[in-house]
Amino acid sequence: FEKAEAKSRIAQLEKQIEEELMRLYGRLILETQITQSIKIPESHAVARSITQHAPTSQQSLQYRQLTDELLSR
């Protein structure tokens, strides 16, 4: 039960931070979000980008979307 409660608190804190950032920076905030995954620290450990280490992962797709979003600004 404590683990679930801790996850809920973390989720609430993340939501509060996101809302505060949106309030402060508005449209400067990018839409693409990178979700957490063990694949990212794994890619760092082997000194490869996420797109090289796990090209079909959700995070690899998200980083590609982030790149497209940045290039379109």
Side-chain angles (χ1 to χ4, degrees):
F1 178 75
E2 291 178 13
K3 197 173 197 177
E5 188 176 315
K7 283 186 177 184
S8 176
R9 287 182 182 173
I10 290 170
Q12 288 174 338
L13 180 58
E14 289 173 344
K15 182 70 173 164
Q16 289 173 345
I17 292 169
E18 182 180 340
E19 288 172 356
E20 182 66 9
L21 288 171
M22 288 299 292
R23 186 185 71 75
L24 291 171
Y25 300 105
R27 64 180 223 79
L28 294 175
I29 301 291
L30 299 170
E31 290 183 30
T32 304
Q33 295 184 0
I34 310 298
T35 57
Q36 294 181 359
S37 167
I38 191 64
K39 295 294 183 190
I40 294 175
E42 283 177 357
S43 72
H44 296 169
V46 296
R48 298 182 75 186
S49 71
I50 188 67
T51 56
Q52 293 170 322
H53 175 67
T56 60
S57 71
Q58 185 67 31
Q59 292 69 33
S60 182
L61 173 63
Q62 291 165 342
Y63 273 103
R64 287 186 183 103
Q65 289 173 335
L66 177 62
T67 301
D68 291 343
E69 185 177 354
L70 286 167
L71 292 173
S72 71
R73 285 191 168 208

